Amino acid sequence: MSEQDHIANDLQVLARQIDLTIPADCVAGVAANTQLLRGYVNLICGMTLPDTCPPAYEYRP
Amino acid sequence: MSISSLAQSIQSGRVSAFQHCAETLQRLKERDGAYNSVTRILESRALDAARKVDARIAKGESVGPLAGVPFGVKDLFDLEGHVTTAGSVVLNDTPPARRDAEVVQRLCAAGAIPVASLNMDEFAYGFATENAHYGTTRNPHDTQRLAGGSSGGSAAAVAANLLPFTLGSDTNGSIRVPASLCGVWGLRPTQGLLPLAGVYPFASSLDVIGPFAQNVADIRSVSEVLIGHSLAYEEDTSQLSVGILDGWFAQDLSEGLKVGIRAIESACLHTKTVTLPEVARARAASFVITAAEGGNLHLGRLKTTPMAYDPATRDRLMAGALLPSAAVIQAQRVRNWFRDIMHQTFKKVDILVAPATVGPAPRLDQPTIMVGGKAVSARANLGLFTQPLSLAGMPVLSAPLAPQNTDNSALPLGVQFIAAPGKESILLAFAEMLERKGLLGFPPVTAGN
């Protein structure tokens, strides 16, 4: 199985979890964007934050 | 003529609101073909409103600080009786809006007249205003170049002198990027300051709306109506402490931006260099939050009608919908951490200065910018300097640098001024000081040039 096939397979697994069908014509584009986002996810997940730093769901100056 | 002068001329009866409105509509029809900033002209509504303004003035009534002033809105603001497209065809079968967006109501109550809706990237997901359904908006200063986005129609209409002011929205830089590339002013107010009722969302925890105009006085006039109180700053602006952002914000800059920022630094008495930590991660968090919220918002339609979307938008939204919760929650924690950093920074300075983009508008046939020595997509990366700041929620004013040569042929370049939450008054006063010194302000394109 090629790398592209692996990525496409991963996408379909993720998509099934939210009941989304990725049309065949969209797989390449979604894969490219997923790769881009993975880079950003790795960047933020590489940051160690204190347990006392909660998520910021709204802005309270 | 400034917006306040125009409103005074109409209020005093020297200028007819109806005549001015009719001329504005004619100008839009005659000149917008070159720019494609307009998606819909609200002719009958505008002329009816203008007649009412004139009738009220004839009866001796005071109409308001924006009496008879025409304006346009990005195509994601509700306008009563019209379907809000958000730059897509996906929403075409939704019912027409039952009322104007709340901020449009505020402007109308002050006498302003909505005359057009304006082009944008589909669902505001882009920095280019290249729209598969409604076409590309062209930069009025060079129609072979991008206007920027996603509020590109709003910026271009002001830069082309078609409208005195417009409204746009800014999630990651969608006011500041096109304002910068088109040489106009744009304000992203403090997160949560202005109501979003009747504004189609993109990534709702980051979305903010704000005005575009040709000068800072006009931004002030419109912002005071939108916010509902005076933005006067009574202190001495020469005593403001100004931080020039370096590090992330000093990379890949065009020479013109370097010169412009140095000139701003020289014009201030109290300056220091400020380095914000973890800006790359702040930008990454903004990317992830936007993708996840946007993807979730559209998930239902992505399941049923995916092929109705602009392919580029659809693929980005689908990828966002697939993001794991751990990543999104981490992004929101980074956001909280970065906000604290910004709050601490504003205990040491009053204003931060940063570039808005790396350089002038990219060409339509080469929609890339250079970042770290590599050509990358303009549509996805023009927000390099705006996205990290969106994450913090502070007010940001995008200001055009004054042309740096005498023939005015140079392309516009923009800078960002950032202040502590709720300190829009400081931003405006600081910008007015620099505008008076001749460092800010780019002439609009008129019919003759």
Side-chain angles (χ1 to χ4, degrees):
Chain A
M1 191 181 272
S2 71
E3 178 66 17
Q4 289 298 93
D5 290 338
H6 274 298
I7 292 170
N9 196 44
D10 285 353
L11 286 182
Q12 296 301 352
V13 170
L14 287 170
R16 270 199 296 277
Q17 292 177 0
I18 54 172
D19 198 23
L20 174 68
T21 302
I22 303 175
D25 288 349
C26 309
V27 169
V30 177
N33 280 285
T34 297
Q35 286 292 90
L36 179 73
L37 285 172
R38 276 183 186 164
Y40 293 125
V41 168
N42 289 340
L43 200 53
I44 57 173
C45 288
M47 186 174 182
T48 304
L49 293 165
D51 288 357
T52 51
C53 178
Y57 289 118
E58 59 182 290
Y59 189 42
R60 297 192 197 96
Chain B
M1 183 186 291
S2 73
I3 284 174
S4 65
S5 297
L6 173 60
Q8 285 166 16
S9 295
I10 290 172
Q11 180 66 56
S12 68
R14 292 196 302 277
V15 172
S16 150
F18 182 86
Q19 185 65 30
H20 186 78
C21 185
E23 289 169 3
T24 300
L25 295 170
Q26 189 62 29
R27 191 163 58 241
L28 289 171
K29 292 175 191 170
E30 287 177 358
R31 292 188 49 222
D32 188 56
Y35 314 122
N36 193 36
S37 69
V38 173
T39 53
R40 183 167 41 198
I41 293 179
L42 311 169
E43 182 152 0
S44 61
R45 172 181 174 159
L47 292 173
D48 283 351
R51 278 192 202 94
K52 287 175 184 164
V53 167
D54 284 337
R56 288 179 62 191
I57 290 168
K59 286 195 285 185
E61 294 180 25
S62 176
V63 175
L66 301 177
V69 178
F71 71 101
V73 299
K74 186 176 184 177
D75 216 345
L76 49 60
F77 290 83
D78 281 354
L79 293 164
E80 183 180 351
H82 294 275
V83 172
T84 305
T85 72
S88 182
V89 296
V90 173
L91 304 177
N92 280 358
D93 293 333
T94 57
R98 290 194 296 177
R99 61 185 71 83
D100 291 340
E102 187 167 338
V103 286
V104 174
Q105 291 179 42
R106 289 182 183 184
L107 293 169
C108 292
I113 299 173
V115 299
S117 57
L118 303 165
N119 202 17
M120 57 184 286
D121 286 291
E122 187 184 38
F123 292 118
Y125 210 167
F127 289 118
T129 312
E130 293 177 304
N131 188 303
H133 314 295
Y134 302 102
T136 297
T137 294
R138 293 167 178 267
N139 193 313
H141 293 281
D142 179 347
T143 55
Q144 297 307 306
R145 292 178 184 267
L146 293 171
S150 65
S151 308
S154 303
V158 171
N161 211 26
L162 299 176
L163 294 170
F165 81 92
T166 58
L167 293 183
S169 66
D170 188 316
T171 302
N172 283 300
S174 287
I175 288 175
R176 293 162 285 159
V177 168
S180 167
L181 300 186
C182 290
V184 300
W185 297 74
L187 176 64
R188 176 188 163 100
T190 305
Q191 183 96 38
L193 184 63
L194 291 178
L196 296 175
V199 181
Y200 193 84
F202 172 24
S204 57
S205 80
L206 289 166
D207 292 343
V208 169
I209 67 100
F212 292 85
Q214 288 178 1
N215 54 66
V216 67
D218 287 354
I219 289 283
R220 175 185 292 283
S221 299
V222 176
S223 298
E224 289 184 342
V225 168
L226 289 170
I227 295 170
H229 59 74
S230 167
L231 294 172
Y233 180 71
E234 307 297 347
E235 309 293 319
D236 179 0
T237 52
S238 71
Q239 296 307 311
L240 290 171
S241 173
V242 179
I244 309 294
L245 286 176
D246 71 351
W248 177 271
F249 295 96
Q251 60 177 340
D252 300 303
L253 293 188
S254 71
E255 190 56 31
L257 272 166
K258 292 178 189 171
V259 170
I261 291 173
R262 277 200 297 270
I264 290 168
E265 187 174 9
S266 299
C268 301
L269 289 179
H270 309 288
T271 64
K272 61 176 76 170
T273 299
V274 174
T275 307
L276 295 174
E278 301 291 4
V279 179
R281 286 189 164 107
R283 182 186 181 224
S286 201
F287 243 109
V288 168
I289 293 166
T290 300
E293 292 188 14
N296 174 269
L297 178 69
H298 290 276
L299 182 56
R301 283 180 295 270
L302 290 172
K303 291 178 181 178
T304 56
T305 54
M307 306 317 277
Y309 285 76
D310 176 336
T313 313
R314 177 196 59 222
D315 295 350
R316 297 180 83 184
L317 290 171
M318 279 191 173
L322 298 177
L323 278 166
S325 62
V328 182
I329 291 169
Q330 177 73 1
Q332 291 285 9
R333 293 180 70 205
V334 171
R335 181 183 197 176
N336 209 7
W337 180 88
F338 192 68
R339 272 182 192 157
D340 281 347
I341 294 291
M342 292 295 282
H343 289 159
Q344 294 299 322
T345 302
F346 283 114
K347 290 178 180 170
K348 300 169 192 157
V349 297
D350 298 304
I351 298 266
L352 291 171
V353 177
T357 60
V358 294
R363 290 184 57 84
L364 294 171
D365 59 3
Q366 194 179 358
T368 56
I369 58 170
M370 296 302 290
V371 176
K374 295 179 185 169
V376 297
S377 157
R379 181 175 182 155
N381 291 286
L382 274 167
L384 190 72
F385 298 141
T386 56
Q387 277 176 294
L389 300 170
S390 297
L391 193 71
M394 315 286 148
V396 189
L397 179 65
S398 178
L401 292 173
Q404 291 167 8
N405 57 18
T406 52
D407 64 5
N408 287 348
S409 64
L411 291 164
L413 296 167
V415 291
Q416 300 179 88
F417 301 137
I418 309 104
K423 299 293 187 186
E424 282 79 0
S425 59
I426 292 182
L427 290 179
L428 297 179
F430 180 67
E432 283 163 348
M433 181 266 288
L434 295 173
E435 192 182 45
R436 281 194 300 274
K437 291 176 185 282
L439 299 179
L440 302 176
F442 204 91
V445 174
T446 55
N449 65 6

